[in-house]
Amino acid sequence: MFGIFHCAGKFLSYFIVQEKNDADEASKQAQVLWSACQALLRAIKAGCPGIPWKDQMRPLEPELKAVEKAAADNDELVCAVLKGIPKEAKERGVYPEDALRERFLKVEQVARTVALVPETGAPLPIHVLSFIQSLLLIKSPSPIPAGELNDEKVDFAKLNTNDILQRARYWLDRGDFAQTLRYMNLLKGAPRCVARQWMNETRILLETQQAANTLMAHAASSGLTYL
C-alpha cells in the first residue's frame, strides 16, 4: 500500500513540475510575442527625421516574420491576423505616421487651391479663381463647432472643401488618423483626386495598426494567463 502511495506521490510531483515548466515556457513565449508585436507597432509609428516623406516607406517583413516566429504553432488568432494585414503592407511596407502627417500638409495645401475644380477638370479661369480663393481663406480658430465635437447631428453634405480640410487637420494634429481619414473621404472633385493616394496609404497604415494592436492585446492576455 505504501508503495502505491509513494508512486502516486512521485507521479503527482512530476505532473506538477511538468505543468509549471509548460506554464513557464508559455509565459516566455507570450513575452517574446509581445516584444515582437511592440517592435511592429514602433516600426509603423516612427518616421525618420530629416528624410522626405516619400523616402520613408517602411518595410515590415522583418517585424512580421518575428511575430510569426514568436507565436505558438497552434495560435490560430495570430495566423488569422497576419493573413488579414493588407497585401501592400506585407510586400512593400507602409508609410509611418510621421511621413503621412508631413504628406498631409502638402495634400491639404494643394486641395485648397483646387477646391472649385470638379473631378473632370475645368477651364483655366476656374483654376485661377480657385487659387485666388485659397489665398483669401482665413483659418478659423475653432475648426470644429462644439456641437459637432459633442456628437450632435451634422449635415456633412453641407461642408465645403475648406470645412472638411479644417476638420481633418484638427484630428491630424491630435494624432487621430482614423478621424482624419473619415473627413478626407468627404472630399469631392479635384480635391478628392489630390487626396486619393494619401487616403489609400492611410487606410493601409490604419489596417496594419489595427492588426498590430490586436496582436499586442493577444500577447498581453496570453502572458497574464500564466501569471
Side-chain angles (χ1 to χ4, degrees), residues 131-144:
F131 177 73
I132 293 174
Q133 177 187 264
S134 70
L135 297 177
L136 299 176
L137 288 172
I138 299 175
K139 189 174 181 180
S140 172
S142 302
I144 303 183

Side-chain angles (χ1 to χ4, degrees), residues 31-168:
Q31 291 174 14
V32 172
L33 177 60
W34 185 86
S35 296
C37 295
Q38 194 175 48
L40 175 60
L41 269 177
R42 279 199 303 267
I44 293 170
K45 285 182 173 292
C48 301
I51 298 178
W53 67 262
K54 60 184 178 180
D55 297 327
Q56 291 194 43
M57 176 68 72
R58 182 68 164 80
L60 298 178
E61 187 178 2
E63 287 80 9
L64 292 174
K65 282 187 175 180
V67 171
E68 187 176 7
K69 184 178 179 181
D73 294 335
N74 60 345
D75 198 325
E76 296 180 359
L77 188 144
V78 172
C79 292
V81 172
L82 288 176
K83 285 181 181 178
I85 291 176
K87 181 181 178 182
E88 299 92 336
K90 292 178 183 177
E91 294 181 353
R92 44 129 241 218
V94 299
Y95 285 106
E97 286 186 1
D98 291 345
L100 287 175
R101 187 176 288 107
E102 180 186 345
R103 187 175 183 180
F104 176 90
L105 301 181
K106 300 181 185 301
V107 168
E108 178 189 24
Q109 183 180 12
V110 176
R112 276 202 172 91
T113 64
V114 295
L116 301 179
V117 180
E119 188 172 358
T120 54
L124 181 59
I126 299 297
H127 281 270
V128 173
L129 181 62
S130 185
F131 177 73
I132 293 174
Q133 177 187 264
S134 70
L135 297 177
L136 299 176
L137 288 172
I138 299 175
K139 189 174 181 180
S140 172
S142 302
I144 303 183
E148 189 174 332
L149 289 173
N150 292 328
D151 293 328
E152 293 180 10
K153 190 175 180 180
V154 178
D155 186 356
F156 292 106
K158 293 183 178 180
L159 298 180
N160 60 35
T161 298
N162 188 55
D163 294 333
I164 293 169
L165 291 173
Q166 282 193 143
R167 286 159 169 77

Side-chain angles (χ1 to χ4, degrees), residues 165-207:
L165 291 173
Q166 282 193 143
R167 286 159 169 77
R169 177 66 178 274
Y170 174 89
W171 290 112
L172 181 85
D173 289 343
R174 286 153 182 78
D176 193 332
F177 280 80
Q179 279 286 65
T180 304
L181 181 59
R182 288 189 188 101
Y183 277 105
M184 293 297 278
N185 267 313
L186 298 175
L187 290 173
K188 297 177 181 178
R192 185 174 184 85
C193 293
V194 169
R196 184 170 287 128
Q197 194 173 10
W198 182 90
M199 291 191 293
N200 186 53
E201 293 297 344
T202 302
R203 176 190 59 79
I204 294 170
L205 173 73
L206 289 173
E207 289 180 7

